[in-house]
Amino acid sequence: MTAILIVCEGNVCRSPYVERVLQARLDAVAPGRFAVTSAGTAAVVGAPMFPRSAAAARRRGADPDGFASTPLSAAALTGMDLVLTTERSHRAAVLDLAPALLRRTFTLREFERLVRPVLEQDEVGPDFWETFPRVVARTRIATAPSTPEDDDLTDPVRGDAADHDRMCVLADAAIDAVAACAVATEGADRARTAGA
């Protein structure tokens, strides 16, 4: 099973939205192959999901029920195959706790940016989730953002509905990229099994 952790600050708005929508998308591709969880660098234990995020998750076919926020900790990072954060500062917090995850930790938008060329060149094989750090490293320079802030997903909690919608659009693009990797991996795995 591939374990994915989504990290934001309060673990009530951005990361729970991504967690639940991404889990639903991955379950549709490969049921039981992925476990998506989330945590926050300043989370209060047990806080519910932000209502706008819960409603948006439902609109995208995901189930927000039963969500409770979790603080980021070294224990939460144990065994993770991929860590996706909403901001560069959260990525830094992850690496402070678990430096060994350096090559497996990205912001959501950074991962999307790095993996798009890999998908376009049909380079996602059946072992992608084990080898992706090496695979995506090749695209880092060619896809560098114009400003580092472009890799962040701004917190919409204190904004209006339009701010939240904008966050969802950007998050959905990253979710699409991760789901596309899963689709390509499953296809490559089936092709390998058929040829065996």
Side-chain angles (χ1 to χ4, degrees):
M1 180 174 290
T2 300
I4 302 173
L5 181 69
I6 313 300
V7 179
C8 71
E9 184 175 351
N11 192 213
V12 293
C13 181
R14 293 169 290 178
S15 58
Y17 170 80
V18 174
E19 173 199 328
R20 295 300 172 100
V21 175
L22 179 58
Q23 185 71 67
R25 292 286 304 280
L26 294 173
D27 284 347
V29 173
R33 293 278 296 267
F34 296 88
V36 185
T37 54
S38 64
T41 58
V44 174
V45 176
M49 193 185 301
F50 186 56
R52 282 183 181 145
S53 293
R58 277 195 187 90
R59 285 194 299 273
R60 286 157 178 83
D63 182 5
D65 292 345
F67 178 83
S69 62
T70 303
L72 180 67
S73 64
L77 292 163
T78 301
M80 288 299 144
D81 298 296
L82 174 63
V83 180
L84 298 172
T85 71
T86 57
E87 296 179 27
R88 291 164 295 135
S89 61
H90 306 143
R91 183 181 60 199
V94 166
L95 297 177
D96 282 345
L97 291 169
L101 287 172
L102 175 64
R103 298 181 69 226
R104 292 182 173 273
T105 302
F106 309 84
T107 72
L108 280 155
R109 299 189 70 195
E110 176 189 24
F111 188 77
E112 176 200 359
R113 173 171 57 78
L114 293 171
V115 83
R116 287 285 178 199
V118 175
L119 288 162
E120 289 166 5
Q121 294 163 24
D122 198 25
E123 293 180 359
V124 178
D127 59 349
F128 175 77
W129 299 107
E130 291 79 39
T131 63
F132 74 82
R134 176 180 49 78
V135 173
V136 300
R138 297 196 305 261
T139 66
R140 188 172 296 279
I141 294 173
T143 63
S146 54
T147 63
E149 293 78 17
D150 290 344
D151 278 341
D152 289 344
L153 188 62
T154 304
D155 190 350
V157 165
R158 292 174 188 82
D160 59 17
D163 294 323
H164 194 274
D165 289 345
R166 191 165 28 257
M167 180 278 291
C168 289
V169 167
L170 295 173
D172 287 346
I175 289 167
D176 288 347
V178 178
C181 290
V183 169
T185 301
E186 290 299 300
D189 192 41
R190 282 193 297 274
R192 180 174 65 180
T193 302

